[in-house]
Amino acid sequence: MAAELDGGPRPDVGAQRAELGPLLGIALRPGESWYLIDSRWFKQWKKYVGFDSWDMYNVGEPNLFPGPIDNSGLFADPEIQTLKEHLIDELDYVLVPTEAWNKLVNWYGCVEGQQPIVRKVVEYGLFVKHCKVEVYLLELKLCENSDPTNVLTCHFSKADTIATIEKEMRQLFNIPSEKETRLWSRYMSNAYEQVSNLDSTVQDAGLYHGQVLLIEVKNEDGTWPRQSLPAKVSGFSYSCRESPFQSQPGICGLSNLGNTCFMNSALQCLSNTPPLTEYFLEDRYEAEINHDNPLGMRGEIAEAYAELIKQMWSGRHSHVAPRMFKTQVGRFAPQFSGYQQQDSQELLAFLLDGLHEDLNRVKKKPYLELKDANGRPDSVVAKEAWENHRLRNDSIIVDIFHGLFKSTLVCPKCSKVSVTFDPFCYLTLPLPLKKDRSMDVSLVFADLHRRPTQYRVVVPMMGAVSDLCEALSKLSKIPAENMVVTDVYNHRFHKIFQMDEGLSHIMPKDNIFVYEVCKSSEDGAECITLSVYFREKRIRQSSTSSGTVLCGQPLLISVPKHKLTLDHLYNVVLEQIGHYIKFPLTKEYSSVCLDSGICNGSSRGCEVEEMEHQDGDEGREKASETDSCQSEGCAHDLLGKEGQHHKKHLFTFSLVNSYGISEINSITTEGKLLKLNSYATLAIDLDPDTRKLLFDEQESQAFEKDESMLQSQKKKTTVALKDCIELFTTMETLGEHDPWYCPNCKKHQQATKKFDLWSLPRILVVHLKRFSYNRYWRDKLDTVVEFPIRDLSMSEFVCDPIADPYVYDLIAVSNHYGAMGVGHYTAYAKNKVNGRWYYFDDSSVSMASEDQIVTKAAYVLFYQRRDSKQHIAPSLPAESELASEECDGMDTN
Ligand SMILES: [Zn+2]
C-alpha cells in the first residue's frame, strides 16, 4: 500500500533492532506464513539500524535509509511478479515470519504495486517430520474437458487440497456451483487418470510441476462426457485392478503415490533390465533369499520387488500402484519415505545394494585382509581383489552389475605408487563444467547523445572483469581500456570493479553498468574520474530522516585535472544529463531567468552551445546569435555564467562517501582547482521542484537493447559420453583438504590420483553427475550428453590388456526434467520381448522412437553388454511412425 517513501512512523533504530531481532530467530511451524525479502534490501536495513555490531559506525545514517521494501530483484517478470528460478535462501532472499514482516511494512512500506511474497510452512517426512518454507509453489496447468486447448497456468502450495484446486477451476472457467464436476490428470500422450479424493493434498495426490489438470462438467442428461470413451478407461484408478484386456508384459505404468516419480523412473529402468527381471520371473530368487543377513532387509525388499515385477510382467495390468514396495523401501530407508522430491539415482543405489544383501548367497562373510599391490602385476592383484569381493559378495546383483576399477595413487614426495582394485555397481561420470556464461550488462556511453544500451556478452566462467570488457568492446566498439565496470544498487555504486577481479564475484542478479570514461582528454591532458550521485532534497523533515535521499542513476565523469573547478564540473555534469532535461522551461520557472540571453532554437543545441560559452578561457565558441531566445525562459539562463554567481544553479555539489553520505570535510580548493582523488564521490543535490520540472524521468531511465540481447541466455552445449568417461579417467591432484596418507612418508600428502576401468559388468549403469553444489552455487547442468543407442565400445577405457571387447547397447534411461528439487522423472526403456522403445511417465506409457531418447534430461543410463557371439542387434523398422501412437492396452482416450 504505502507508496510513500517514509512508510509509517518508525521507532528509532535501536528499538527496531530490539523488536525484530527475536522474531528473526523463531522456529518454523506448519501452516504459518513467512515472507520473502530481497536480501539486498534486508542487508541495507541491517546496516541502517546497525543490526550487526560491525555496522554500528553509521547507525541511523540517513543515506543508508533503505527506503520502501523492494523485492523487484527476486522477480523473473516484474509484471506477473513470478519468482526467478534457483533463488537461494540467505544469498538472494531472507525469510521472515509474519510479525516481522508486518513491522517492516509499517515502518518502511513496500514499493508501489509490489505484492508481498508470502509462503506457507509445510511439513514433510513420514517418520521424522521436518518443516520448511515452500518458497517455490507448484505450477499446474488447468483446462476444461470441453476446451482442452485453453490452458491456464496457476500456482499452488503442496499443502493445498484437491478441493482448493477444484474451487479455483470452477471460478476460472465460470462453472456454476450446481453443476457436478470431476477432475482428471492428463499425462503425455493423452492418458488420463481421475483425481477423485478431494481431501488429499497436492503432495499426496502426487501432482508434479507442470501437471495438466482437466475439469469435466456433467452433461444435462446426467451422463459424463468422458463416459463415451472406451470401457477400459473406467478401470483407471489409483488401485491396481484386474483388467479384462491383455496388455504387453512389461509395458506397465506405475501410479504416482505422491512425488514418487523418482522411484517409478528407477523401477522402470530395473524392470527393463532383462537378466534381472528373468531371475525374478523364473523364481530363482526364492532359493537365494537371505533372511538373516544383518546388512540386508530380511529379504523383504527382494520379496516386495519380486511381487511388483511379477505384476508388471503379467500382461494383465496397464499400470499398477507400487504401494507395497514403497512401504518396504520407506521402512528400510526413511529418507525415501517422505513426499519430498528425491533423486532417482540415490534410490537406484539403495535398491541395488538392498537387493544385493537380501539375495547374497554368502551366509557368513569371511574376514579378509587387504593386501597392497606391492609391485605385483595388475592382473594378479585384480584377480585377487575380485575373488575377495566375491567371497563376501555373491548375488545376482554382483553377477549382473558389478565391475572392477583400478585406482592409482602416487606420492609427490617419495614417488610411492599405491595400486588398488575396487568393485563398483555404477559409474558416476563428471560432466565437463560450463566454460562460459552469458551476462547482461548496460553500457553507459561517454557520448551523451547515445542512450545506455543493454548487451548480452559471453564470458569465461572463471574469467576476470577485463574479459567482460573485452567481450563488450567487440560488440560496442568502445575500447576496453576506457571501461569501468560497476554494480549499481539503490542509486549508488555498490561496487566499482578492478580489471583483475574475478567474474565469479558477479552474481546473475547484480545490476552491472559499464561506463565509458576517458583516461586523457583530446589534447592529452590527464583526466580524473569522479563518481556522481543524485540526491533529492526533502521537503518534510523528521527526526529520523535527513535532508536528502539518493535518486536516479549514478554517473562516472571524466574531467581533465587542470580544469577541475566547480564551474567546469557543473558544466560537465549538465552536459551529461542534458539529454533528459526538459526544454523549454515552464513559465513558473522563468523567475530564475534573471537576464535574457541568446541561444539557438533547439533545446539540446542551446544547452551544448552554452556549455562551450561556459568553458571560460579556452575554446569559447559563440552560439548562433541569429536565433533569439524564447521569451519566457531559457536553459542557459539557469546555467550561471562565470562571474555571475548571483544566478541560480540547477543544483549544488557536496563531497560524499560511497553511500552518498556527506563527508565532514567539504571540498577543498587549491586556488580555483579542486583537490579530489580519482573515484571521489560527489553528490548533486536537487530540490524536488526542480527535479520534477526539469527532469524527463522517462528519458532518464530509457535504454536501448543491443541485438546481442536476442540471443538465448543459455548456450546449448553438447558433449560426447566418451568425453565424460575420459574426464573420469583423467589424473587429478588431490585437494588440500582431501590428502592421502602415504604409508611410506607416514604422513598426509597431496597425491596424484587416477582411475582406470579394469573389468566391466553385463549391465553398465552410468550416472551423469548433473547436479553440482557449493556454498554459493547450486546448479543443474543442462548439457546434452550425446550417448550412443547402440555400439558403445568401452574397450579403449579398459586397462586389462587381455579383456574381451566390450560393446554395449542402451536398454533404459532415467530422465530428470526441470530444476533441482522441483523436477519430474520419467524413463525410456526397451521392452525385452518386442525390442521396441517405450516412454514411461508414471502410470502412462507410450511408444517412443530412438531419436527421442538423447536429451538434456538423460540422467542415468543402462547399457547391456553384447555377448561376443551375438550379432549386431537388428534395428527395428519404422519405429518413428509409431512414435506418437498409443500402445495396446493403455488407458487412454
Ligand atoms: Zn610418500
Side-chain angles (χ1 to χ4, degrees):
M1 284 292 102
E4 194 190 353
L5 265 179
D6 269 344
R10 277 184 303 278
D12 68 35
V13 292
Q16 288 186 43
R17 279 202 308 269
E19 283 192 41
L20 229 60
L23 294 176
L24 299 179
I26 68 171
L28 299 174
R29 276 193 297 262
E32 281 182 347
S33 295
W34 284 57
Y35 289 76
L36 272 77
I37 299 180
D38 191 320
S39 60
R40 290 184 116 161
W41 186 91
F42 196 70
K43 275 181 198 154
Q44 183 89 357
W45 172 79
K46 277 182 154 182
K47 275 205 179 99
Y48 178 63
V49 302
F51 198 82
D52 299 310
S53 53
W54 55 82
D55 279 336
M56 288 306 275
Y57 172 63
N58 279 325
V59 166
E61 190 51 65
N63 279 293
L64 286 175
F65 183 72
I69 300 173
D70 183 2
N71 280 333
S72 49
L74 302 178
F75 297 128
D77 180 338
E79 288 290 309
I80 339 173
Q81 304 192 2
T82 46
L83 280 192
K84 282 180 186 162
E85 284 182 35
H86 310 303
L87 292 177
I88 298 173
D89 193 7
E90 298 294 331
L91 187 64
D92 299 309
Y93 61 85
V94 291
L95 287 162
V96 300
T98 305
E99 203 184 331
W101 169 262
N102 288 342
K103 282 181 190 292
L104 287 171
V105 172
N106 280 336
W107 299 336
Y108 296 94
C110 280
V111 166
E112 199 173 2
Q114 262 184 32
Q115 298 303 314
I117 313 173
V118 57
R119 293 291 187 267
K120 281 259 172 349
V121 176
V122 292
E123 224 177 10
Y124 65 96
L126 260 190
F127 301 108
V128 184
K129 299 278 186 198
H130 302 280
C131 282
K132 67 172 181 184
V133 178
E134 187 185 32
V135 170
Y136 287 98
L137 297 176
L138 195 72
E139 181 182 297
L140 297 177
K141 298 196 183 300
L142 310 177
C143 60
E144 269 186 292
N145 185 51
S146 55
D147 183 12
T149 53
N150 176 30
V151 177
L152 303 174
T153 300
C154 292
H155 292 85
F156 294 93
S157 162
K158 289 185 186 102
D160 281 340
T161 60
I162 301 298
T164 311
I165 299 175
E166 198 201 20
K167 203 173 146 199
E168 178 80 22
M169 288 176 90
R170 281 176 171 273
Q171 209 160 4
L172 285 170
F173 299 114
N174 292 317
I175 300 168
S177 55
E178 67 275 11
K179 293 268 185 189
E180 215 178 308
T181 56
R182 296 195 300 196
L183 287 191
W184 299 80
S185 290
R186 187 174 76 195
Y187 297 97
M188 292 189 52
S189 1
N190 290 332
Y192 291 84
E193 186 170 23
Q194 196 184 335
V195 187
S196 45
N197 186 355
L198 292 181
D199 297 330
S200 77
T201 62
V202 167
Q203 183 157 268
D204 291 340
L207 301 183
Y208 59 82
H209 198 75
Q211 169 92 57
V212 179
L213 284 183
L214 185 124
I215 191 162
E216 181 196 21
V217 184
K218 205 175 200 174
N219 293 327
E220 293 293 339
D221 62 5
T223 60
W224 291 100
R226 297 192 68 81
Q227 256 171 5
S228 54
L229 301 171
K232 60 187 176 186
V233 173
S234 59
F236 210 93
S237 78
Y238 257 41
S239 63
C240 157
R241 285 191 200 165
E242 298 287 315
S243 305
F245 59 87
Q246 199 67 23
S247 76
Q248 178 72 48
I251 301 168
C252 176
L254 292 167
S255 300
N256 193 315
L257 304 174
N259 270 358
T260 53
C261 57
F262 74 99
M263 183 177 84
N264 293 346
S265 167
L267 283 172
Q268 292 293 1
C269 291
L270 282 180
S271 162
N272 287 288
T273 298
L276 185 65
T277 289
E278 281 154 20
Y279 170 84
F280 282 102
L281 292 182
E282 291 161 13
D283 288 332
R284 279 187 274 148
Y285 72 99
E286 280 178 353
E288 297 185 342
I289 280 200
N290 188 335
H291 295 283
D292 310 315
N293 184 353
L295 294 172
M297 321 287 177
R298 300 195 297 267
E300 287 166 31
I301 288 282
E303 274 168 350
Y305 183 79
E307 183 67 25
L308 181 64
I309 288 295
K310 284 177 181 179
Q311 281 186 354
M312 290 170 76
W313 288 83
S314 68
R316 289 198 305 273
H317 311 286
S318 63
H319 71 292
V320 296
R323 229 178 272 286
M324 184 62 172
F325 181 76
K326 178 179 183 278
T327 307
Q328 290 297 352
V329 168
R331 282 181 59 198
F332 295 105
Q335 71 268 28
F336 296 115
S337 67
Y339 293 113
Q340 71 269 46
Q341 189 62 250
Q342 292 285 355
D343 186 324
S344 67
Q345 154 64 18
E346 283 173 28
L347 180 83
L348 204 57
F350 165 81
L351 264 185
L352 288 174
D353 191 51
L355 288 174
H356 161 64
E357 295 297 358
D358 267 6
L359 299 166
N360 201 343
R361 297 159 194 139
V362 177
K363 306 295 172 199
K364 194 170 187 309
K365 294 192 178 192
Y367 175 76
L368 297 165
E369 206 168 337
L370 271 174
K371 280 188 218 154
D372 197 77
N374 271 334
R376 291 177 296 159
D378 276 356
S379 56
V380 174
V381 186
K383 190 163 175 277
E384 182 183 274
W386 185 248
E387 281 170 0
N388 283 350
H389 178 58
R390 302 271 344 202
L391 281 172
R392 293 168 57 82
N393 301 282
D394 183 15
S395 72
I396 181 75
I397 302 297
V398 179
D399 298 345
I400 296 174
F401 292 98
H402 284 203
L404 200 63
F405 69 82
K406 172 188 173 183
S407 52
T408 309
L409 284 147
V410 180
C411 174
K413 292 277 151 38
C414 69
S415 302
K416 157 85 183 168
V417 180
S418 165
V419 174
T420 51
F421 288 85
D422 299 290
F424 66 87
C425 197
Y426 51 87
L427 288 181
T428 292
L429 298 185
L431 265 55
L433 282 176
K434 274 185 230 171
K435 289 187 180 75
D436 295 328
R437 69 189 267 206
S438 64
M439 288 175 66
D440 293 352
V441 299
S442 303
L443 179 58
V444 182
F445 299 97
D447 175 358
L448 53 134
H449 295 295
R450 293 179 71 179
R451 283 177 171 172
T453 304
Q454 277 193 323
Y455 289 88
R456 181 161 292 167
V457 291
V458 178
V459 292
M461 201 79 181
M462 302 312 286
V465 168
S466 54
D467 295 310
L468 165 62
C469 296
E470 291 295 337
L472 187 57
S473 177
K474 281 204 187 93
L475 293 174
S476 66
K477 311 294 175 223
I478 301 292
E481 61 269 22
N482 288 355
M483 293 178 181
V484 175
V485 178
T486 70
D487 177 2
V488 172
Y489 177 64
N490 256 354
H491 315 289
R492 61 180 173 81
F493 292 116
H494 187 65
K495 188 165 168 54
I496 294 179
F497 293 93
Q498 302 295 315
M499 280 296 177
D500 58 355
E501 276 184 81
L503 289 175
S504 57
H505 295 287
I506 299 179
M507 295 289 148
K509 67 189 293 248
D510 292 344
N511 284 321
I512 300 300
F513 281 81
V514 181
Y515 287 80
E516 184 193 1
V517 299
C518 305
K519 298 276 153 66
S520 60
S521 66
E522 277 166 22
D523 53 4
E526 194 193 340
C527 283
I528 175 168
T529 299
L530 301 167
S531 309
V532 175
Y533 294 173
F534 294 91
R535 301 194 299 190
E536 189 181 276
K537 293 175 189 156
R538 299 163 76 96
I539 309 165
R540 242 168 358 99
Q541 293 198 14
S542 65
S543 56
T544 51
S545 67
S546 77
T548 59
V549 65
L550 287 170
C551 62
Q553 173 79 20
L555 291 176
L556 283 181
I557 56 165
S558 307
V559 188
K561 256 188 165 167
H562 69 277
K563 285 191 190 172
L564 195 56
T565 62
L566 266 184
D567 279 320
H568 185 70
L569 214 50
Y570 179 81
N571 291 334
V572 171
V573 170
L574 201 64
E575 192 176 338
Q576 284 281 341
I577 62 174
H579 63 288
Y580 49 83
I581 299 253
K582 286 187 281 195
F583 291 105
L585 299 175
T586 54
K587 200 162 184 174
E588 301 94 276
Y589 215 75
S590 62
S591 60
V592 300
C593 190
L594 294 179
D595 61 0
S596 62
I598 293 160
C599 61
N600 63 17
S602 125
S603 60
R604 181 165 287 167
C606 166
E607 175 213 287
V608 174
E609 299 275 342
E610 189 60 31
M611 299 306 306
E612 267 135 4
H613 281 287
Q614 301 309 309
D615 222 339
D617 312 327
E618 53 186 277
R620 185 181 287 264
E621 192 183 287
K622 283 260 170 184
S624 161
E625 292 185 30
T626 52
D627 295 338
S628 62
C629 195
Q630 284 111 333
S631 56
E632 293 183 334
C634 174
H636 88 258
D637 297 320
L638 295 165
L639 303 179
K641 284 185 175 152
E642 249 176 69
Q644 288 180 299
H645 292 298
H646 61 281
K647 284 220 171 170
K648 182 166 178 179
H649 278 60
L650 278 172
F651 48 77
T652 56
F653 285 106
S654 0
L655 192 62
V656 295
N657 67 12
S658 63
Y659 288 111
I661 299 165
S662 297
E663 304 269 287
I664 300 146
N665 301 322
S666 57
I667 303 170
T668 56
T669 54
E670 207 171 64
K672 281 181 77 180
L673 288 179
L674 302 173
K675 261 178 78 181
L676 292 172
N677 298 324
S678 228
Y679 295 109
T681 308
L682 295 172
I684 285 175
D685 293 330
L686 301 158
D687 69 69
D689 290 339
T690 312
R691 187 174 169 217
K692 212 165 162 188
L693 280 172
L694 297 181
F695 275 71
D696 183 339
E697 287 290 335
Q698 217 172 345
E699 181 60 30
S700 73
Q701 286 163 22
F703 61 89
E704 304 286 334
K705 275 191 178 186
D706 183 71
E707 53 184 37
S708 58
M709 292 298 288
L710 298 172
Q711 281 154 22
S712 78
Q713 189 127 24
K714 271 184 186 161
K715 250 177 49 184
K716 190 190 163 189
T717 43
T718 303
V719 297
L721 180 64
K722 293 204 169 182
D723 296 339
C724 304
I725 306 172
E726 245 160 47
L727 202 58
F728 173 78
T729 58
T730 300
M731 186 168 74
E732 55 165 12
T733 303
L734 295 179
E736 222 180 304
H737 305 290
D738 173 33
W740 170 65
Y741 183 80
C742 172
N744 205 26
C745 301
K746 304 253 184 292
K747 65 186 236 196
H748 286 92
Q749 303 283 15
Q750 273 180 265
T752 60
K753 185 179 185 180
K754 185 176 178 354
F755 289 127
D756 289 291
L757 299 172
W758 182 264
S759 67
L760 295 178
R762 275 175 79 186
I763 302 291
L764 179 64
V765 180
V766 175
H767 166 219
L768 301 173
K769 207 174 164 195
R770 289 201 177 274
F771 300 120
S772 65
Y773 314 77
N774 71 38
R775 199 167 153 206
Y776 297 112
W777 205 268
R778 246 183 275 171
D779 205 8
K780 182 187 172 191
L781 297 168
D782 273 333
T783 315
V784 175
V785 177
E786 297 276 5
F787 53 89
I789 306 290
R790 51 174 73 85
D791 292 324
L792 168 66
S793 171
M794 290 292 289
S795 296
E796 61 186 285
F797 302 106
V798 172
C799 64
D800 178 2
I802 58 154
D804 286 337
Y806 284 103
V807 181
Y808 285 88
D809 297 312
L810 189 75
I811 52 166
V813 178
S814 171
N815 298 304
H816 177 266
Y817 299 93
M820 285 175 69
V822 291
H824 181 55
Y825 286 93
T826 66
Y828 284 108
K830 191 176 178 176
N831 183 269
K832 72 184 179 76
V833 180
N834 66 13
R836 290 200 171 118
W837 283 90
Y838 293 87
Y839 183 65
F840 296 88
D841 182 354
D842 287 331
S843 55
S844 142
V845 189
S846 53
M847 289 282 273
S849 64
E850 287 187 5
D851 57 10
Q852 295 173 310
I853 296 167
V854 179
T855 69
K856 65 176 187 180
Y859 181 44
V860 185
L861 315 176
F862 280 62
Y863 276 99
Q864 178 166 236
R865 187 178 175 182
R866 217 178 278 169
D867 293 338
S868 48
K869 293 181 202 95
Q870 193 184 330
H871 295 292
I872 293 167
S875 63
L876 287 153
E879 271 177 290
S880 55
E881 287 167 29
L882 298 162
S884 57
E885 286 177 29
E886 306 307 326
C887 55
D888 291 341
M890 278 303 304
D891 287 321
T892 55
N893 71 337

